[in-house]
Amino acid sequence: MRKHDMDPDEQHLLALHQELAQHCVRSVLYTHGIRPRLRIYCPDERPGCSFDNNVIAAALAGQWIFWWPWAEPIGPATELARTAATIIDELDLRDEGHRESDAPVTVPSLAVQRQRRQAQAGALHPQAR
């Protein structure tokens, strides 16, 4: 299938796939199912991560945006480098040489990491009562 034969969401996902590949992040574009998705593979994945590690592309108010599977936006399709960096950070896919510490960080799933971020945000910005 040539690029111009693809749906727009597939085209955007393919562009993100290519951007991630430049950072040595392995991903596969799946076109079966309800909508196309980009499956991102993480080293040392735990069972159950396969859902969390999917990205879709969908238009919102005329702008194409990449989304996590629970409908949280990642970034606009017009900003591939920034979106790829966000995915790499969220899934902790930085090269070993670029880690801030020597201790390996293993996140069992993106859902756990999201809960950790929400807890940290709550601790930093408690709501006034």
Side-chain angles (χ1 to χ4, degrees):
M1 179 183 294
R2 287 189 250 166
K3 189 173 179 178
H4 66 275
D5 294 335
M6 294 181 175
D7 290 331
D9 49 353
E10 291 176 35
Q11 291 176 11
H12 292 297
L13 290 170
L14 182 59
L16 180 60
H17 163 76
Q18 292 166 345
E19 180 69 30
L20 288 167
Q22 292 178 15
H23 299 277
C24 300
V25 174
R26 190 172 76 103
S27 62
V28 175
L29 177 62
Y30 289 101
T31 57
H32 64 279
I34 295 173
R35 65 178 320 123
R37 62 189 168 90
L38 188 65
R39 168 71 160 94
I40 300 164
Y41 290 89
C42 302
D44 303 323
E45 260 183 25
R46 305 273 192 254
C49 289
S50 61
F51 173 76
D52 293 338
N53 299 352
N54 284 287
V55 173
I56 64 166
L60 178 66
Q63 180 182 15
W64 281 92
I65 300 173
F66 295 109
W67 301 83
W68 293 116
W70 52 87
E72 181 180 331
I74 303 168
T78 56
E79 298 180 22
L80 287 172
R82 189 181 95 188
T83 300
T86 299
I87 291 169
I88 289 167
D89 286 344
E90 290 289 323
L91 296 178
D92 197 30
L93 298 174
R94 291 177 302 276
D95 290 339
E96 291 298 321
H98 292 99
R99 289 193 187 273
E100 294 174 10
S101 72
D102 291 334
V105 177
T106 302
V107 177
S109 79
L110 189 56
V112 171
Q113 189 166 351
R114 183 178 72 241
Q115 290 171 349
R116 187 182 70 197
R117 276 195 330 272
Q118 290 171 344
Q120 288 172 339
L124 296 173
H125 306 291
Q127 298 211 349
R129 292 185 178 170

